[in-house]
Amino acid sequence: MIACGCEVCTSRNEKDKRLRSSILVQSEKTTLVIDTTPDFRTQMLRENVKKLDAVIFTHPHKDHIAGLDDIKAYNFFQHKPMEVYANQLTQEALRREFYYIFSEDKYPGIPNINLHTISDKPFIVGDIPVTPILVYHLKMPVLGFRFGKFTYITDANRIEDIEKEKIKGSEVLVVNALRKKDHISHFNLKQAADLVEELKIPKAYFTHISHQLGLHEDTNQELPSNIQLAWDGLKIDLKGS
Ligand SMILES: [Zn+2]
Ligand SMILES: [Zn+2]
Ligand SMILES: [Zn+2]
């Protein structure tokens, strides 16, 4: 965190250095990202992502959409619009915050996107089937996503039973855990761990971690053996599942 001198923010462990939360999902043919954070450009450069087919948004908060402008590099090299998937609420924010992308009179070099609306139904991006999962961030509806045996949920603190059914059977769950203390719109560490246990998920990683959660290594030791804190650059291979 900017201007903070706490033990996490000054830690030399690379796993205590966290950019804003996002994941990249890749099949043989298709590469997509969930959310374009303010760190999107840094993340794509770090991972040397040369091809990107789509962006899928979870919700309209700035830490999940701010990097959208930087998809213009993919427009330039791929010679086509970026396929962007979002619910209505997020689309309203995109139109407001990136008004120039949607203007009639476009100046050269601005991002070019093809907007798709996510409903409550599964959809396919390239060769990747995607199941949206509705979760709540205080009162804001947020989309989690399931890809085969993998589910990603961020910025939630409540999930209705009917949506929990869509997560069950996942081999790997990535879910948000902000800190140990309660928070108004994020699961805390215990709530996230309880969810993993309730849904009987064999392997889980926590994401969207605040510096208030404590050091990566210390927190990991407090967690059950099937749960770890995620870290920037973590790769999960689910080929064949
Ligand atoms: Zn700090
Ligand atoms: Zn949020
Ligand atoms: Zn967030």
Side-chain angles (χ1 to χ4, degrees), residues 70-195:
D70 285 312
I71 60 100
K72 61 195 174 193
Y74 294 106
N75 293 150
F76 179 77
F77 285 112
Q78 296 174 177
H79 310 288
K80 59 177 184 181
M82 181 61 66
E83 305 302 324
V84 173
Y85 296 78
N87 65 11
Q88 290 294 359
L89 186 71
T90 302
Q91 289 187 25
E92 283 168 29
L94 297 179
R95 287 179 197 282
R96 191 173 61 240
E97 306 211 9
F98 299 95
Y99 66 92
Y100 54 94
I101 297 179
F102 299 93
S103 76
E104 289 291 301
D105 184 23
K106 293 189 171 69
Y107 56 89
I110 62 170
N112 187 5
I113 68 171
N114 245 345
L115 204 49
H116 305 265
T117 303
I118 304 175
S119 66
D120 54 354
K121 305 264 185 315
F123 56 100
I124 293 188
V125 179
D127 63 350
I128 302 181
V130 187
T131 301
I133 299 165
L134 175 65
V135 300
Y136 287 95
H137 194 24
L138 186 57
K139 287 177 185 158
M140 176 182 278
V142 172
L143 294 173
F145 298 100
R146 179 164 175 170
F147 307 90
K149 295 284 173 78
F150 173 82
T151 300
Y152 179 73
I153 291 170
T154 191
D155 293 58
N157 71 332
R158 186 168 67 82
I159 307 176
E160 290 178 353
D161 288 342
I162 189 166
E163 299 299 306
K164 283 180 181 170
E165 292 301 318
K166 298 178 186 172
I167 307 169
K168 284 181 184 168
S170 298
E171 277 172 19
V172 179
L173 170 67
V174 174
V175 64
N176 62 300
L178 191 77
R179 63 187 189 190
K180 286 176 187 158
K181 279 201 319 198
D182 280 353
H183 186 273
I184 191 169
S185 63
H186 281 272
F187 287 131
N188 66 20
L189 192 69
K190 176 156 191 323
Q191 289 164 337
D194 287 348
L195 180 75

